[in-house]
Amino acid sequence: MPSPSSAVSDSGRPDPSRLWRDGDFRRLWVGQTASQLGEHTSLVVLPLFAVLTLHAGAGQLGVLRAVGQAPILLLSLFVGAWVDRWRTRTLMVLADAGRALALGAAAVTGLLAGLGLPALLVLAFAVGALSVFFDVAYQASLVRLVERDQLVRGNSALEGSRSAAQIGGSALGGVLVSVLSAPIAVASSAVFFALSFLSIRRIVRRESIPERSERSPRVWRRILEGLRFVAGDASLRTVCLASAAFQFFFAAVMTVYLLFLPRDLHLSGTAVGLALAATGPGALLGSLLAARLPSRFGYGAVLVSAAALGDGVFLFVPALHGSSQVTVPALLTVNFVFGTFSQLVNATVMAVRQTVTPDTMQGRAAATINFVGMGLTPLGSLLGGLLAEAWGTRTSLLVTALGMLVSPALMTLSPLARLGRTLSAPPGTAVPSA
C-alpha cells in the first residue's frame, strides 16, 4: 500500500496528480475500461442478435436476460466472502480470461455451425457468472490500491472510464449486429476482455489482505458477517432496498425497451445502439459531478434528487411516436439525462459504502449490496417479457417506468436522505475528500 505521505502535496492537501502517477492504478483503470467495453458490447449484441436474427419473442428475450443475470443471485455472497481473503488482481485476471475464452469459443462455434438460442443462453450464463467475480473484486480493489483520501477521485476516474465504455460499447454492439455476422460481433467482446486481462495482470503491488488463521471461519459464517454488517448500518441497509427496487424495475424496463425500439419505433440495430450509447456521455458528466456536488449540497440531497430525475425521465419514452428523425433525438436526450443522474447516484453510493465499511469487510459489503440490490434483476427481466406479451410494449413501459420511482421514494423516507456534506468513517480510517 502507498504510504499516507505519498498521497499529499507539500502543502499537506491531497495531491490529485499522485493518483495518475501510480502505475498500478493506471493499469487497473486501463483494464477496467477494456473490461467495461467488452461487457457493454455484449449486453447489446446478445439481446439484439436474439431479436433481429433469431426473431426471439418477448418471453424468450426475458428468459435470455434473466439467465445472464441469475449468477448475481446465485454467486454474489460466495464471491464476496472469497474476495475478502484473496487478491482482487488474481480474481479479476481469471474472470477476464474466462470471459474472453467463453466468447471466443462461442464465436468459433457460430462461424462453424451457427449460433442458436440455446447456445446464447449458455453463453449468457457463463459470462454473467464470471462478471460477478470481476465486479465484486474490482469494487474492493481500489481500497487496497490507494489511500482513503484518494477514493473519491479514484472512483470518479473509474466511473468515468465506465461511462466512456458505455458510449463505445453500446454503439459498437449495435453497429456490429447490423453490418456484420453475429459471431464477429460476439468476438469483439472477447478481444476487449483479453486486453483487460493483459493490463490487470501487470499490477505489481501486493495487496493488504487479512491473514488466514489455521481455523478460518467457514464461508457461510463469513457471508453472515457481511449480511449482519450491511443490515446493521442504516445507510447501507437503505442502499440495498433502494437498489433492489431500482434494479428490479429497470430490468423490466430494459427488456421491454429492447423490444419497443426496433418493433414499435422501427429503429435499426445501429440506431438502437446509438440511442443506448447516449447513456455514456451522460454518465461521464455524472461521474464528474459526483466529485463535487455531494460535498457542496450534501450526500443525501444529491442521492434523492438525482435518483428521482434519472428514474423519472423514462416516463417520457412510452409517449414517443413518429419517424426516426423525431424519436432518435428524443431517445438520445432521455438516455443522456438517465446516464447523468444514475451515474451520479452510483458514484455517490460507492463513496458512501467504501467510507463506512472497514477494509476487512469491503468485499462482503459490496457482494451483499450486489446480491440484494441486483438479485431481483432476473425476475424483473422475466416480468418485463410477460408484461410485454400481455399488455403490449407501450403500456408495459409506462408501468415499469413508474415502478422505478419506488427507489427515490425509499431514499427520501430513510436516514440516507439526511446525510450531510461529510461522511463518518470507521474508527482508525480517514474520510475521503473531494
Side-chain angles (χ1 to χ4, degrees):
M1 292 286 288
S3 65
S5 62
S6 67
V8 298
S9 63
D10 294 338
S11 65
R13 299 188 62 182
D15 180 6
S17 66
R18 175 70 189 181
L19 191 68
W20 291 105
R21 293 199 301 269
D22 186 333
D24 282 337
F25 175 78
R26 292 199 306 271
R27 295 178 189 110
L28 174 65
W29 182 84
V30 171
Q32 185 253 9
T33 302
S35 183
Q36 291 294 325
L37 274 170
E39 183 172 341
H40 286 287
T41 300
S42 63
L43 286 175
V44 173
V45 166
L46 298 184
L48 281 183
F49 175 61
V51 172
L52 299 175
T53 304
L54 301 180
H55 307 291
Q60 290 174 315
L61 182 61
V63 170
L64 175 63
R65 285 174 49 79
V67 167
Q69 296 157 346
I72 300 171
L73 183 63
L74 298 175
L75 299 176
S76 290
L77 294 178
F78 295 98
V79 173
W82 292 327
V83 165
D84 281 334
R85 298 182 60 76
W86 292 89
R87 291 184 175 84
T88 56
R89 170 192 173 276
T90 301
L91 292 174
M92 288 189 289
V93 164
L94 292 175
D96 277 332
R99 288 187 288 187
L101 290 173
L103 289 164
V108 172
T109 301
L111 288 171
L112 296 177
L115 201 63
L117 187 58
L120 281 181
L121 293 172
V122 173
L123 178 63
F125 184 86
V127 172
L130 293 167
S131 294
V132 171
F133 280 88
F134 185 92
D135 290 343
V136 174
Y138 132 72
Q139 291 183 50
S141 64
L142 187 64
V143 179
R144 300 180 186 178
L145 285 178
V146 305
E147 294 297 328
R148 283 183 178 261
D149 65 355
Q150 294 286 329
L151 282 178
V152 170
R153 295 187 185 277
N155 278 318
S156 179
L158 291 175
E159 292 301 313
S161 72
R162 188 167 75 92
S163 305
Q166 287 178 336
I167 304 172
S170 297
L172 179 62
V175 170
L176 290 176
V177 171
S178 294
V179 303
L180 300 175
S181 66
I184 294 178
V186 171
S188 66
S189 298
V191 172
F192 289 123
F193 289 127
L195 292 174
S196 178
F197 164 82
L198 293 173
S199 180
I200 292 176
R201 71 187 294 269
R202 295 179 60 238
I203 293 176
V204 296
R205 184 176 297 136
R206 294 186 65 84
E207 299 176 26
S208 175
I209 57 176
E211 294 290 335
R212 300 183 193 177
S213 62
E214 293 184 0
R215 300 186 61 183
S216 300
R218 294 184 177 181
V219 65
W220 282 109
R221 181 179 173 184
R222 295 178 60 76
I223 289 173
L224 288 175
E225 288 174 352
L227 289 168
R228 291 194 190 102
F229 173 76
V230 172
D233 185 276
S235 295
L236 297 183
R237 186 170 61 245
T238 302
V239 167
C240 276
L241 295 176
S243 178
F246 168 78
Q247 296 294 347
F248 175 77
F249 286 107
F250 182 64
V253 165
M254 286 306 296
T255 299
V256 183
Y257 195 56
L258 289 170
L259 291 166
F260 180 72
L261 298 189
R263 293 186 177 175
D264 289 62
L265 299 184
H266 308 291
L267 299 182
S268 65
T270 300
V272 172
L274 290 174
L276 295 175
T279 304
L284 181 60
L285 174 61
S287 67
L288 297 175
L289 295 176
R292 299 297 179 191
L293 294 188
S295 61
R296 181 174 181 180
F297 298 105
Y299 284 80
V302 168
L303 283 172
V304 171
S305 58
L309 291 169
D311 297 351
V313 74
F314 267 102
L315 292 172
F316 293 98
V317 176
L320 295 178
H321 293 82
S323 65
S324 59
Q325 287 84 358
V326 175
T327 56
V328 170
L331 288 170
L332 291 172
T333 303
V334 167
N335 284 313
F336 179 84
V337 172
F338 172 74
T340 299
F341 291 108
S342 64
Q343 186 61 27
L344 178 55
V345 172
N346 289 341
T348 305
V349 162
M350 189 170 291
V352 171
R353 177 185 65 76
Q354 291 176 337
T355 301
V356 304
T357 304
D359 289 351
T360 56
M361 195 68 69
Q362 288 287 339
R364 282 170 286 175
T368 299
I369 292 173
N370 282 356
F371 172 77
V372 177
M374 299 189 67
L376 294 179
T377 53
L379 298 179
S381 294
L382 291 173
L383 175 66
L386 293 174
L387 290 180
E389 286 186 335
W391 297 348
T393 54
R394 201 174 296 275
T395 301
S396 300
L397 264 179
L398 178 61
V399 171
T400 52
L402 283 170
M404 289 173 63
L405 294 176
V406 173
S407 178
L410 289 173
M411 291 184 188
T412 303
L413 300 174
S414 75
L416 195 66
R418 296 191 291 274
L419 290 177
R421 298 178 182 178
T422 60
L423 299 172
S424 298
T429 59
V431 179
S433 62

